[in-house]
Amino acid sequence: MPQKAPPAEAVQPAAALRAQTNAPQDDAMVQITLPKNSRPTPGKEWPKPEGAKRLAEFRIYRWNPDDAANPRIDVYWVNRDDCGPMVLDALIWIKSKVDSTLTFRRSCREGVCGSCAMNIDGANTLACTKAIDDIDGAVKIYPLPHQPVIKDLVPDLANFYAQHALIEPWLKTSSPTPEKEWRQTPEDRAKLDGLYECILCASCSTACPSYWWNGDRYLGPATLLQAYRWLIDSRDEATGDRLDSLEDPFRLYRCHTIMNCAKTCPKGLNPAKAIVQVKAMLNDRRL
């Protein structure tokens, strides 16, 4: 199993940091530090392609688990006349023509699979749908924040996927299976719009401060949006069990509706709204 790097950025509880720094106990400012050996250092600047008339500068986070070095930021120059318009096109161009060791995930290149989610120009998004022309200055690329890094731009999302599996994201019924299909009215089907489109890219969850602090217990916006998708499905017959599983101080109620999730979602979805709806369903059940 590959080694994991510390998160690219990390936070520690204020009390623990005070103990480390001997800061006054009444200090109201939370101290934030990076774990040892996780602060990126300047890396290699690769030569500019010869004869290129239009260049784009890319500053890319690099980390190799096979050595003991800190993460570094390598600088690459991309020939825009020999490269497609999207950030993913540039990453593929760099890997193919400059540095074959650059590691990242990608698959469909159509904004459907979520594989190429990363932090680009300070925001979580999909490399395949982010246009280079939409970025002013150097293109800065990091892995999704506050997750262990496997290598370079590849985060370890094992916990994220385990949380998704926890909500049992499939149709659960107790009625006899129909001969053809489970029928649904157009009105009930419309309730799933804005939910089923989630591609589990993890952009929203890794943009959520509550998930940074409590990712081991808080399910996060992506998983909770998926949970609501099954709660609201008229064909599902396990609503009570699903709500029982979510009625937990950490699994659901760490959401503080700061809306980072909706702002960063590359599909334009609103996980915060779905979480509010789940809370409302639980409240209605109590009444």
Side-chain angles (χ1 to χ4, degrees):
M1 184 174 182
Q3 297 179 7
K4 301 175 184 177
E9 297 175 336
V11 289
Q12 298 182 34
L17 285 161
R18 290 192 189 100
Q20 294 175 16
T21 61
N22 296 318
Q25 291 298 311
D26 59 352
D27 182 8
M29 181 67 72
V30 174
Q31 303 294 317
I32 300 176
T33 62
L34 292 171
K36 184 180 180 181
N37 298 328
S38 69
R39 187 181 297 277
T41 60
K44 177 178 179 179
E45 179 168 356
W46 295 77
K48 298 178 180 179
E50 295 183 5
K53 296 181 179 179
R54 286 200 310 143
L55 291 172
E57 181 183 358
F58 282 73
R59 299 179 184 178
I60 302 177
Y61 177 97
R62 305 296 309 276
W63 182 78
N64 188 342
D66 296 328
D67 59 44
N70 276 32
R72 67 183 192 273
I73 306 300
D74 280 3
V75 178
Y76 301 89
W77 297 91
V78 173
N79 182 355
R80 292 296 310 280
D81 293 323
D82 187 40
C83 175
M86 302 301 178
V87 170
L88 182 59
D89 293 319
L91 290 173
I92 294 172
W93 187 92
I94 291 170
K95 187 173 180 67
S96 300
K97 300 193 175 186
V98 181
D99 181 6
S100 63
T101 67
L102 178 62
T103 304
F104 53 91
R105 290 192 181 114
R106 58 98 173 175
S107 185
C108 72
R109 302 182 68 181
E110 298 291 341
V112 175
C113 70
S115 297
C116 64
M118 53 191 72
N119 187 280
I120 302 171
D121 197 32
N124 297 347
T125 189
L126 302 177
C128 66
T129 60
K130 182 67 173 180
I132 302 172
D133 288 339
D134 290 343
I135 302 170
D136 294 328
V139 182
K140 301 175 182 178
I141 308 177
Y142 291 79
L144 291 174
H146 293 271
Q147 299 298 299
V149 176
I150 295 175
K151 186 179 182 182
D152 292 348
L153 301 176
V154 180
D156 185 349
L157 297 178
N159 180 64
F160 175 80
Y161 293 130
Q163 290 173 325
H164 180 243
L166 181 69
I167 65 167
E168 300 183 333
W170 55 81
L171 197 65
K172 300 175 71 175
T173 62
S174 55
S175 300
T177 303
E179 292 183 4
K180 290 187 177 180
E181 59 191 16
W182 294 98
R183 299 181 69 86
Q184 192 172 45
T185 67
E187 293 75 19
D188 284 338
R189 167 60 186 80
K191 294 176 182 178
L192 304 182
D193 290 341
L195 303 171
Y196 78 88
E197 298 96 331
C198 174
I199 56 177
L200 293 173
C201 66
S203 290
C204 63
S205 290
T206 56
C208 173
S210 289
Y211 195 73
W212 300 343
W213 284 93
N214 302 291
D216 58 333
R217 299 177 67 182
Y218 173 49
L219 294 183
T223 295
L224 290 172
L225 178 140
Q226 290 281 335
Y228 182 61
R229 177 256 177 275
W230 295 104
L231 283 167
I232 204 66
D233 195 317
S234 61
R235 301 164 297 178
D236 191 85
E237 298 174 344
T239 301
D241 291 342
R242 293 186 188 278
L243 288 174
D244 288 343
S245 177
L246 294 174
E247 193 161 16
D248 178 272
F250 276 88
R251 287 187 178 182
L252 173 65
Y253 290 100
R254 293 301 93 187
C255 173
H256 301 299
T257 324
I258 66 171
M259 305 303 292
N260 271 16
C261 55
K263 182 178 180 180
T264 197
C265 177
K267 304 297 286 187
L269 309 182
N270 190 341
K273 181 179 179 181
I275 294 171
V276 169
Q277 295 294 339
V278 175
K279 292 177 180 178
M281 292 179 72
L282 283 166
N283 187 60
D284 291 344
R285 186 172 72 161
R286 296 188 196 104
L287 298 176

